[in-house]
């Protein structure tokens, strides 16, 4: 590796106290580093502090204490340079419905002080596959197109770091795939990506490293592969000749994940249970097993495991 850090956060705290009897400690001594060229995933349950972190970088929330350094610039000393180094795709879609994509990008570039001759509006539109919709009203765009337009908007000043806050929430699967292809392409072109997502499987597919945040604090940080290797949970799906009565199955660490259409999916801890014990338990019910498929733990298992402790 040996890649340099493009973002580093030290002892970052954020306390919301306005108009509240009880102050909220949204970020609690957060420490984090993101390396140049990686896709970094920030995961965590609702209210963990993900958006607060991103809003501090975006300048729409003010930190209570701690140090933030982006692309070599200190947030306290050089807030404008920090802003120039990042493009932010916010959680909420917020577009003026009466502008078309081209106009919107031009206006936004103007806001960032990008000179006319330095604008790359057409190539950005192409990058997010919106060149054919460049002149349609924003309100006529589909949900997925609007998301892509938000990404385009974050790119007008050609920032080396792109930050996406739950960019695929509420976007259907097909468009989601398309959106991620665009993000991967940007990463190939050298843009460092930081994203938050609720779709944990997606984080597993997309990210080189994953940080898990809970109650404003990092509780895990590793390569995606190492995080998954850490948990010893195994997932198995049985296809059987008849429906299984799951109430009769009770074994150490075994959890029923789903049981529909003669397909039973369970999880268990490898240290506490062996696959042949499960098979013989099913056989005792007079069930014939027609097929077995196993899965290593996905990030969701890691996540649940970590939150529990
Ligand atoms: P996440 O994005 O991980 O869901 P948030 O950063 O949105 O989490 O929220 C973290 C905590 O801070 C939550 O308890 C939330 O209610 C609180 N919070 C977020 N924004 C504000 C705000 N503007 N004022 C007061 N509390 C807030
Ligand atoms: Mg959020």
């Amino acid at each position: 590796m040996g890649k340099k850090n493009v973002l580093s956060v030290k002892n970052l705290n954020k306390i919301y106290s306005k108009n509240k009897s009880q102050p909220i400690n949204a970020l609690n001594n957060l420490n984090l580093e993101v390396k140049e060229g990686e896709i970094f995933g920030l995961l965590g349950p609702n209210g963990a502090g993900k958006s607060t972190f991103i809003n501090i970088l975006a300048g729409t929330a003010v930190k209570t204490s701690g140090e933030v350094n982006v692309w070599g610039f200190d947030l306290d000393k050089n807030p404008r340079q920090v802003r120039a180094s990042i493009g932010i795709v916010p959680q909420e879609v917020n577009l003026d419905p009466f502008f078309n994509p081209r106009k919107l990008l031009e206006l936004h570039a103007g806001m960032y002080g990008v000179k006319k001759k330095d604008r790359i509006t057409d190539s950005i539109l192409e990058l997010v596959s919106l060149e054919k919709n460049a002149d349609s009203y924003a309100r006529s765009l589909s949900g997925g197109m609007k998301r892509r337009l938000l990404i385009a908007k974050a790119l007008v000043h050609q920032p080396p770091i792109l930050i996406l806050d739950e960019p695929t929430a509420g976007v259907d699967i097909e468009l989601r795939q398309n959106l991620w292809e665009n993000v991967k392409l940007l990463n190939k072109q050298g843009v460092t990506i930081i994203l938050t997502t609720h779709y944990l499987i997606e984080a597993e597919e997309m990210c080189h490293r994953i940080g898990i945040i809970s109650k404003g604090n990092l509780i895990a940080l590793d390569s995606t592969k190492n995080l998954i290797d850490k948990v010893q949970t195994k997932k198995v799906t049985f296809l059987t000749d008849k429906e299984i009565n799951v109430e009769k199955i009770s074994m150490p660490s075994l959890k029923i994940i789903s049981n529909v259409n003669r397909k039973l999916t369970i999880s268990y801890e490898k240290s506490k249970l062996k696959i042949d014990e499960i098979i013989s338990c099913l056989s005792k019910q007079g069930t014939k097993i027609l097929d077995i498929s196993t899965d290593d733990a996905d990030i969701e298992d890691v996540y649940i495991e970590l939150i529990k402790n």
Side-chain angles (χ1 to χ4, degrees):
M1 277 299 206
K3 287 271 179 74
K4 71 168 186 194
N5 292 328
V6 293
L7 184 146
S8 95
V9 164
K10 287 199 188 88
N11 298 323
L12 186 62
N13 284 288
K14 173 66 184 176
I15 299 170
Y16 291 108
S17 49
K18 243 205 268 165
N19 307 325
K20 290 262 160 73
S21 51
Q22 195 71 19
I24 295 169
N25 214 340
L27 293 178
N28 190 4
N29 277 322
L30 181 69
N31 288 286
L32 190 64
E33 278 160 357
V34 176
K35 295 184 202 318
E36 182 169 22
E38 74 176 337
I39 302 183
F40 183 86
L42 191 61
L43 305 187
N46 261 329
K50 303 181 297 292
S51 292
T52 297
F53 170 61
I54 288 176
N55 292 342
I56 289 171
L57 298 174
T60 53
V62 179
K63 66 185 168 66
T64 305
S65 66
E67 284 171 40
V68 176
N69 190 292
V70 181
W71 207 248
F73 299 108
D74 184 275
L75 181 61
D76 292 322
K77 294 182 195 133
N78 304 99
R80 285 188 49 190
Q81 283 89 335
V82 167
R83 232 70 85 209
S85 310
I86 52 182
I88 302 225
V89 184
Q91 194 168 343
E92 260 100 59
V93 176
N94 180 14
L95 291 167
D96 192 317
F98 296 105
F99 287 125
N100 63 45
R102 190 193 307 280
K103 181 78 188 162
L104 212 103
L105 295 185
E106 287 288 329
L107 283 172
H108 206 65
M111 250 167 60
Y112 267 95
V114 182
K115 295 201 184 83
K116 279 238 158 69
K117 66 172 173 55
D118 296 327
R119 292 185 193 168
I120 50 160
T121 307
D122 283 317
S123 58
I124 294 176
L125 283 168
E126 217 169 292
L127 185 73
V128 297
S129 321
L130 281 177
E131 67 273 24
K132 291 200 184 92
N133 309 86
D135 302 308
S136 344
Y137 282 130
R139 63 156 188 259
S140 68
L141 303 179
S142 72
M145 288 173 175
K146 283 180 184 154
R147 284 282 170 189
R148 297 208 300 268
L149 182 52
L150 280 184
I151 296 180
K153 230 177 115 181
L155 294 172
V156 293
H157 57 300
Q158 303 187 56
I161 304 170
L162 182 66
I163 302 178
L164 306 110
D165 196 3
E166 314 235 7
T168 52
V171 175
D172 66 52
I173 291 172
E174 200 180 326
L175 294 169
R176 217 184 284 167
Q177 211 58 43
N178 182 294
L179 206 66
W180 288 132
E181 292 309 320
N182 286 307
V183 170
K184 278 184 182 164
L185 189 68
L186 274 169
N187 180 248
K188 283 219 179 78
Q189 295 174 357
V191 179
T192 303
I193 310 280
I194 300 170
L195 60 91
T196 73
T197 175
H198 256 82
Y199 300 100
L200 303 167
I201 289 164
E202 221 160 52
E204 186 177 343
E205 257 175 46
M206 286 289 293
C207 302
H208 304 120
R209 286 197 311 149
I210 288 175
I212 296 178
I213 175 177
S214 172
K215 298 190 178 121
N217 206 302
L218 208 65
I219 56 169
L221 175 73
D222 216 327
S223 69
T224 304
K225 186 186 177 306
N226 283 350
L227 260 189
I228 289 159
D229 284 350
K230 262 183 200 162
V231 295
Q232 291 295 302
T233 307
K234 195 94 187 166
K235 220 183 198 171
V236 186
T237 299
F238 298 98
L239 181 66
T240 54
D241 64 337
K242 59 173 193 192
E243 215 60 53
I244 291 171
N245 183 358
V246 291
E247 276 156 34
K248 284 191 188 155
I249 306 172
S250 165
M251 306 180 92
S253 81
L254 185 134
K255 292 195 191 85
I256 310 290
I257 293 171
S258 66
N259 184 30
V260 283
N261 295 335
R262 297 181 289 113
K263 241 185 182 172
L264 171 69
T265 303
I266 54 136
S267 72
Y268 67 97
E269 286 168 40
K270 278 188 259 183
S271 56
K272 297 197 178 136
L273 195 58
K274 299 279 170 282
I275 183 86
D276 51 357
E277 296 175 85
I278 303 168
I279 292 172
S280 76
C281 172
L282 293 178
S283 306
K284 268 188 211 142
Q285 284 196 24
T287 311
K288 271 209 189 81
I289 296 165
L290 305 175
D291 198 11
I292 300 178
S293 62
T294 64
D295 238 342
D296 275 325
D298 59 26
I299 203 71
E300 192 140 8
D301 302 315
V302 181
Y303 181 61
I304 290 164
E305 208 53 40
L306 286 163
I307 301 280
K308 226 168 42 190
N309 300 332

